[in-house]
Amino acid sequence: SPTAAPPPLGMQWEVNGAEALGVSFSTFRFTLAFLLSVVAGMIFRLIKTPRARHIYAAVSGFALIYYPFGAGVLNAFVPTALAYLTMWRVRQHCGTLTWIIAFGYLLWCHIASASGQAWKEGKMDFTGAQMVLTLKLISLAVCYQDGLKPEQELSPYQQTHKLTKLPTPLETVSYLFSAGNLLAGPFFEVSDYMQWISHEGVWAPEAKGGGASPVLPGLLRLAKGILCAALHLWANGYFPVSYLESAWFPDLNMFQKLWYIYAVALTYRLRYYFAWAVSESALIFSGLCFNGYNEETGKAKWDRCVNTRIRKVEVQTSAARLPADWNIATGNFLRRYVYERLTPKGRKPTLYTMVITQLVSGFWHGIFPGYALFFVSSAFFFNSAKVLYRYERHWSKAAQNNPFWLLIKLLYTELTLQYLGCAFMVLYFRPAIGVWRSVHFFGHLLIAAITIVGMVFPAKRVKAPKADADQVVEGDGGLKEE
């Protein structure tokens, strides 16, 4: 139960705190570690030399992960040691081997801990941190393997982030643990991390990156996270996921079902908004989130490691833009290390590419059928938005921005998103299908209808300017519109 007795080492104040919040002991420690990561980020700015910063990142990161997860943190060192060995001994294949090692070990952790069910019950274990570690290990090894390739074989992004020399063990552990970043991410590239540690690039003294104050943006992001946590704790008492699996839910009318689905999904997302906002706050205070200055206003930008844009998720008119605003850093990883690398050079990505990318995302989250149902369905959902976009490109700007049309797209995007998300939340095949059946599979029917219309009456393709050809205009996590 949420107030079950803690392990023997638990202190009474931790037990009291968990009971007061109505959360499990492990969740209480996890939340406290999150808040402590903000303090750890602040201390980073006081440490100047690269070696000292690496040591501090590794030690503080290990402590922040050990506090909530205990011996579970040892799981991090198995794939890390094996991945580093492949980079040291077989560089030409280290990226491929690390995909197999790190992702395979993550799947084993998901199976061994039944992670999805544990999270559903409010328990926390190291598997979530292992997910972030997996992204970092794979990107590290792939970028090191890219360092062997001729530049003409690499995309501009790959050229920017390739590694030409093997990081030391200290640099590797520093990047992987980096002051609590494993708690919930967000993922960031090792090349950016090394520049930040060494005060290079936008963080160089001559670039004035170290002079921008992180206090106000860091506090605002922290306040946003705490507000989302408070809203989640309040709303979860009224709209728990269990409502979707209750005996009375199928007896509601259609409008009531849609309302409950929306309210439960929003309540569920609030906990992610909390975790990501607090982790972003820690990175802002550390300085890693600094992203140069706005050319027009001259103000510092603190959006390098942003993981979500709440307003654009909650009020979105195009499903194709959702990966650029939700779990942005993971979306960026999937785009750069799966989606683009599955697309042959000189060719356009296909629906098949998107389905495979979403399947990778599904298995990264866990081995429950609900994840696969959600992510495979979302691939077709994103594709349906592209079908609409291809038609819209033949319309006038006035027609594209017609309030009635925007409202239709908003309702389609948001209602279908909440509908598909039911599978993610309930985890199991039968309950997920049960919820979808209770609302007559309306989301899948709409997706299928749009897709079929697009196949039978395809929109005439037009060559659009590069800036317009990409549905995603902000962030790196989105999928290109072709």
Side-chain angles (χ1 to χ4, degrees), residues 1-21:
S1 67
T3 57
L9 294 179
M11 297 184 180
Q12 189 59 43
W13 67 270
E14 293 174 302
V15 180
N16 296 339
E19 290 178 345
L21 293 175

Side-chain angles (χ1 to χ4, degrees), residues 83-106:
Y84 195 84
L85 183 63
T86 67
M87 289 190 288
W88 177 41
R89 302 302 298 174
V90 282
R91 181 180 181 182
Q92 66 273 25
H93 302 297
C94 64
T96 305
L97 291 172
T98 299
W99 258 109
I100 297 170
I101 292 167
F103 211 86
Y105 193 85
L106 173 64

Side-chain angles (χ1 to χ4, degrees), residues 91-216:
R91 181 180 181 182
Q92 66 273 25
H93 302 297
C94 64
T96 305
L97 291 172
T98 299
W99 258 109
I100 297 170
I101 292 167
F103 211 86
Y105 193 85
L106 173 64
L107 290 177
W108 178 84
C109 288
H110 276 312
I111 294 169
S113 64
S115 55
Q117 182 61 40
W119 300 336
K120 190 176 179 181
E121 295 171 357
K123 301 172 184 175
M124 303 298 298
D125 61 23
F126 187 72
T127 314
Q130 194 80 31
M131 291 167 65
V132 182
L133 178 81
T134 299
L135 303 186
K136 287 187 162 187
L137 278 175
I138 291 172
S139 67
L140 177 66
V142 171
C143 287
Y144 188 53
Q145 183 175 318
D146 283 347
L148 288 176
K149 298 178 181 178
E151 287 200 356
Q152 60 268 27
E153 292 184 15
L154 302 175
S155 70
Y157 184 90
Q158 293 163 3
Q159 291 177 27
T160 300
H161 296 285
K162 69 179 182 181
L163 295 178
T164 55
K165 72 172 189 174
L166 179 67
T168 66
L170 174 61
E171 291 171 338
T172 301
V173 174
S174 167
Y175 167 63
L176 296 176
F177 283 87
S178 52
N181 178 248
L182 286 188
L183 287 166
F187 160 77
F188 45 79
E189 295 284 0
V190 63
S191 56
D192 291 340
Y193 181 76
M194 294 301 185
Q195 284 190 341
W196 168 68
I197 283 284
S198 303
H199 305 287
E200 298 173 354
V202 298
W203 297 279
E206 58 269 22
K208 300 181 181 179
S213 173
V215 176
L216 182 58

Side-chain angles (χ1 to χ4, degrees), residues 162-314:
K162 69 179 182 181
L163 295 178
T164 55
K165 72 172 189 174
L166 179 67
T168 66
L170 174 61
E171 291 171 338
T172 301
V173 174
S174 167
Y175 167 63
L176 296 176
F177 283 87
S178 52
N181 178 248
L182 286 188
L183 287 166
F187 160 77
F188 45 79
E189 295 284 0
V190 63
S191 56
D192 291 340
Y193 181 76
M194 294 301 185
Q195 284 190 341
W196 168 68
I197 283 284
S198 303
H199 305 287
E200 298 173 354
V202 298
W203 297 279
E206 58 269 22
K208 300 181 181 179
S213 173
V215 176
L216 182 58
L219 288 176
L220 288 175
R221 204 65 56 87
L222 178 61
K224 182 171 78 171
I226 292 173
L227 175 61
C228 289
L231 289 173
H232 171 74
L233 290 172
W234 170 78
N236 200 49
Y238 296 96
F239 304 107
V241 173
S242 58
Y243 277 11
L244 301 179
E245 303 174 76
S246 65
W248 52 263
F249 181 79
D251 297 328
L252 299 176
N253 62 47
M254 188 68 171
F255 178 80
Q256 289 172 323
K257 288 173 186 173
L258 292 178
W259 161 245
Y260 271 106
I261 287 174
Y262 175 80
V264 169
L266 176 59
T267 301
Y268 192 87
R269 285 194 298 274
L270 283 168
R271 64 181 185 177
Y272 288 97
Y273 291 148
F274 156 72
W276 291 336
V278 174
S279 61
E280 289 166 21
S281 174
L283 292 176
I284 288 173
F285 278 116
S286 72
L288 180 57
C289 227
F290 178 71
N291 201 21
Y293 293 90
N294 186 296
E295 294 181 1
E296 295 180 1
T297 65
K299 293 183 178 180
K301 298 187 294 183
W302 298 94
D303 58 358
R304 179 178 297 274
C305 301
V306 170
N307 217 19
T308 188
R309 298 182 180 94
I310 297 177
R311 181 179 60 83
K312 291 186 177 182
V313 172
E314 300 301 329

